[in-house]
Amino acid sequence: MSTSVIISEQVAESKSRAVALESAVIATGLPFPKNLEAAFGCEEVIAAAGGVPATIAVLEGIPTIGCSKEQIKNLAQTPGVKKTNLSNLAAVVAERCYGATTVSATMHLATSVGIKVFSTGGIGGVHKDAEVTFDISADLTALTRYPMVVVCAGAKSILDLPRTVELLETLGIPIVGYCSDRFPAFYSRDSGIKLDIVAETPREVANIAKTHWELGLNTAILVALPIPQDHEIPQKEVNKLLSQALDDANQQGIRGKALTPFLLSRLKELSSGKTLEANLLLLKNNARLAAEIAVCLSEVHC
Ligand code: PSU
Ligand code: MN
C-alpha cells in the first residue's frame, strides 16, 4: 500500500504471533466503559496465551496496526468515529477521519502487513430481510479475499443464519466448529445448523489453515467457537428480545450500517445488560483461542 500505515514496534517484531482485533466493536458495538473493558481484556488474554495483540483502527486518516492503550481509550470515548468497512476505508483515510474498522476493513489492513489470525465477536452476514434490502455484510466479501484464520462465536442471531452459512459455503469459506459440530449463534451455543468440519485443538485448526493455503485456496478460514455453556443465553430468549428490537428498528427506519449497532444496543436494554455481559465474555474467549492458533501457526510456518 502506498498510503502510509503505522505498525507498532511490538507487532512488527512478532508478526507471526500477532492477533488482529477490530475496532468497530469498540466504537460502535459496545457502550462505554464496557467497550474499553472488552478491548483491554482481549489484549490481555492474547498476551497471556503467547500472542501479540494488534488492535486496528484508522486514526486521523492513518491506518494503525497495534493501537496503544491511549489510542484505544480515545476510540472508546470519542463520538463520531466512523464505522469503516471496505467501501469507505479510502474515504476515511483520504479525509483524515477516525475510523473504527469492521471485520472487513480490519482483515484488509491486517493482511497488508502479513498478520494471519484475527479474533472478533461475531461476523456480519446476510440480514434477515436481505431478499428485499440486499443487506449482506462486506465481512463475507473480505472472507473470500484475505487468507486469515478468523475466530468468532458464529454470527449474531440478528442475522439470517441459515442463509449466512449457505453463502459461506458458496463462497468457499471453510467453517471449522471448535469442539462442536454446530454453528453457534453468538449468545447461544447452537443455531441448529450442523457443521461438517470440527477441530479439537488449536494445532488442528492451524493444520487445516496451512493445508487450505497450500492448496492455493486463498480465502479465510472461519473458526466457530461457541460461547461457554454457563454464559450462554438460550436462543428462545434471544429470539423474543430480537423480534422486539427488529420491530423497533423497522419503526424508526434504521437500515444499512446503522442496523447492527442499533440492534446490539437495543438487545442490551431489553435484556437488562445480559447480552452485553455475554458479548464481553465471548470476545475474550475467542481472543484466547485465536492467540493459541497464532502460536501454532507460527510454529508450522517456520
Ligand atoms: N459483532 C459484534 N459487535 C460488532 C460487530 C460484530 O459482536 O460491533 C461489528 C463488526 O465490526 C462487524 C460489523 O464486522 O459489526 C458488521 O456490520 P454490518 O452488518 O453493517 O456489515
Ligand atoms: Mn450492511
Side-chain angles (χ1 to χ4, degrees), residues 83 85 125 127 134-138 255-260:
K83 181 171 164 182
N85 62 25
H127 280 269
F134 267 50
D135 191 351
I136 300 174
S137 178
R255 270 183 237 104
K257 283 171 82 169
L259 186 61
T260 300

Side-chain angles (χ1 to χ4, degrees), residues 1-6 61-63 90 93 96 108-109 112-113:
M1 279 202 313
S2 58
T3 310
S4 67
V5 171
I6 289 180
I62 301 175
V93 171
R96 306 248 171 277
H108 177 77
L109 294 171
S112 75
V113 301

Side-chain angles (χ1 to χ4, degrees), residues 22 24 101-108 118 120 122-124 139 142-143 150:
E22 58 156 306
T101 52
T102 65
V103 168
S104 66
T106 305
M107 287 180 76
H108 177 77
F118 173 35
T120 184
I123 56 155
D139 291 2
L143 290 167
V150 178

Side-chain angles (χ1 to χ4, degrees), residues 102-156:
T102 65
V103 168
S104 66
T106 305
M107 287 180 76
H108 177 77
L109 294 171
T111 310
S112 75
V113 301
I115 298 175
K116 287 279 176 217
V117 181
F118 173 35
S119 180
T120 184
I123 56 155
V126 181
H127 280 269
K128 281 188 187 289
D129 53 357
E131 70 274 29
V132 179
T133 61
F134 267 50
D135 191 351
I136 300 174
S137 178
D139 291 2
L140 300 190
T141 312
L143 290 167
T144 67
R145 219 178 258 178
Y146 306 111
M148 298 188 86
V149 174
V150 178
V151 181
C152 67
K156 269 171 304 261

Side-chain angles (χ1 to χ4, degrees), residues 201-258:
T201 62
R203 183 157 304 280
E204 221 180 311
V205 176
N207 282 334
I208 293 170
K210 194 172 164 263
T211 308
H212 188 75
W213 297 328
E214 277 173 2
L215 287 166
L217 299 162
N218 281 320
T219 70
I221 285 99
L222 195 61
V223 178
L225 174 64
I227 185 171
Q229 205 149 19
D230 41 346
H231 293 275
E232 80 164 331
I233 309 176
Q235 216 178 5
K236 242 190 179 163
E237 200 177 321
V238 177
N239 284 342
K240 219 171 101 198
L241 304 174
L242 182 63
S243 71
Q244 172 74 50
L246 282 167
D247 280 353
D248 296 346
N250 223 347
Q251 254 173 23
Q252 296 178 40
I254 313 276
R255 270 183 237 104
K257 283 171 82 169

